[in-house]
Amino acid sequence: MPYIAVAEIARLMLDNPADSHTAIWTWVGIGAGGAGVWLVLFVQSSRVGHYADAAILHDVRVRIVTHLGKLPLGWFRAVGSGKVKRAMTGDLEEMHEVIAHALGQLVGATTVMTVATVYLLFVDVRMAFVVLGVLLLMGIFFRVSMRSMTTHMNRLVVADARISAPSVEYADGIQVVKTFGTGGRVLRRFDDAVDEHTQAFAAWVAEVRHSSAALRLLGSEMAVLTPVAAVGLVLVDRGSLGVADLVAFLVVAIGLPNSILPAVTAAQGVRKGRMGAANIEQLLARTPLPEPEHPQTPVGHGVEFDRVSFSYDGVTNAVENISAVCPPGRVTAIVGPSGM
């Protein structure tokens, strides 16, 4: 509304400056009121979005943690800690972006573009189609740049999980494991995972660099200003377009990219959030261990160690000549000089 108000004030001053005093102040009030309404709606949208985000993601986190406690231990060994870390951090963060930010941004940007387009069509249909032509090209390049986003994002998610697993394993792993020779293998797995992530990201950038650059170029004010000014000056010279109408396009049309690019970013956020939600759905869909109807304490399933030795690397023994009896239903800890 402030852009439209400025355009209408310019048209009034060019067409009939002597008799437009009241109308000019009316449009000043409309522009200021529109800015005030935008501020109120923006604040309330952010407020509602963040409250909804807190409620929804709290419920999802509780469901994930509860479900993880019911999964078999073999699943954790098979997928590693990266899958769990991804679900509790990356996937939830992408859902947060959708709920708290992207949906509101997308609605706001769509509203701005719709109102501005209707206004431009009302001023002059021919010039409006010039602006819409630029926006159409932006849409085409956006589709081209996003055509394989799902494939590349899935590859990056897998790479992130591969990075998370060895990093958690090395940073939070028990000291005795790192002391007795597995640290090198963990670091090599980490290096390989980082290389895979770099290659995945480089492949995505190499594929979309030209279309993304074209999208950014068409999303600049100059990309709209140049054709609007060129076609508008030709029409003004022929007498089929008023100078006041051209001013309206120069004021309103060049502001559209400022709304389109946030819409593009929000649309990308929505797609990422849906992918994160799908990953969490897959995790929650895994079959948990069945709960026994009548749980009982194991009988006759004790564990005995008789002069046991163990080595991680086959060279240095981590434990040696350990003898212990571990009866069922008890927790047994073996503490040695290393503190383990």
Side-chain angles (χ1 to χ4, degrees):
M1 291 308 300
Y3 283 102
I4 294 176
V6 171
E8 286 300 307
I9 291 172
R11 295 178 69 193
L12 289 170
M13 295 182 68
L14 288 171
D15 289 340
N16 191 9
D19 300 328
S20 58
H21 184 271
T22 302
I24 288 174
W25 280 108
T26 300
W27 278 107
V28 170
I30 293 174
V37 171
W38 171 85
L39 179 60
V40 172
L41 292 177
F42 176 78
V43 171
Q44 291 302 316
S45 172
S46 179
R47 178 175 178 271
V48 171
H50 281 83
Y51 273 109
D53 170 73
I56 294 173
L57 295 193
H58 171 75
D59 177 68
V60 173
R61 285 188 175 94
V62 171
R63 290 175 60 192
I64 291 175
V65 172
T66 303
H67 190 70
L68 289 175
K70 300 177 181 179
L71 293 178
L73 293 178
W75 177 83
F76 291 91
R77 180 177 178 83
V79 303
S81 57
K83 185 74 172 180
V84 178
K85 181 177 182 295
R86 175 69 191 181
M88 294 299 293
T89 57
D91 291 334
L92 288 177
E93 287 175 1
E94 290 173 356
M95 290 182 62
H96 160 79
E97 183 65 25
V98 174
I99 301 171
H101 301 286
L103 290 178
Q105 293 173 356
L106 192 59
V107 171
T110 303
T111 303
V112 169
M113 288 187 292
T114 301
V115 173
T117 301
V118 171
Y119 171 76
L120 294 177
L121 288 170
F122 172 77
V123 175
D124 190 272
V125 176
R126 298 165 302 173
M127 292 295 296
F129 277 111
V130 173
V131 177
L132 292 176
V134 177
L135 303 184
L136 178 61
L137 287 176
M138 286 187 64
I140 293 174
F141 281 104
F142 173 72
R143 292 293 299 174
V144 171
S145 63
M146 293 293 105
R147 66 186 185 277
S148 57
M149 177 181 177
T150 302
T151 301
H152 290 292
M153 279 299 301
N154 287 332
R155 184 179 176 185
L156 286 174
V157 167
V158 173
D160 283 336
R162 288 190 59 198
I163 291 176
S164 298
S167 63
V168 172
E169 181 181 359
Y170 189 77
D172 298 335
I174 58 176
Q175 186 62 36
V176 67
V177 176
K178 293 183 283 188
T179 301
F180 287 96
T182 62
R185 291 199 298 271
V186 173
L187 290 178
R188 283 194 296 272
R189 287 199 296 271
F190 181 79
D191 290 340
D192 294 339
V194 171
D195 290 340
E196 169 62 22
H197 187 278
T198 302
Q199 294 171 7
F201 193 77
W204 191 3
V205 171
E207 180 179 325
V208 303
R209 63 184 186 275
H210 299 301
S211 56
S212 296
L215 175 64
R216 290 290 178 176
L217 179 62
L218 291 171
S220 65
E221 289 82 356
M222 289 303 300
V224 178
L225 178 61
T226 301
V228 166
V231 176
L233 289 174
V234 172
L235 295 178
V236 169
D237 184 62
R238 294 179 178 177
S240 59
L241 180 70
V243 175
D245 294 336
L246 177 58
V247 171
F249 277 89
L250 294 177
V251 172
V252 177
I254 63 173
L256 284 178
N258 293 329
S259 299
I260 294 175
L261 290 180
V264 170
T265 303
Q268 294 174 345
V270 170
R271 293 188 65 178
K272 291 180 180 179
R274 293 180 63 182
M275 292 174 62
N279 293 333
I280 293 176
E281 286 180 351
Q282 293 177 2
L283 175 62
L284 294 176
R286 293 193 172 274
T287 304
L289 285 173
E291 292 286 344
E293 295 182 1
H294 305 288
Q296 299 177 357
T297 301
V299 178
H301 293 82
V303 178
E304 297 186 11
F305 296 92
D306 183 20
R307 292 164 293 175
V308 173
S309 299
F310 178 77
S311 173
Y312 289 95
D313 56 5
V315 178
T316 305
N317 286 336
V319 293
E320 190 171 1
N321 293 326
I322 296 296
S323 298
V325 177
C326 306
R330 299 288 183 88
V331 176
T332 303
I334 301 175
V335 180
S338 66
M340 302 304 297

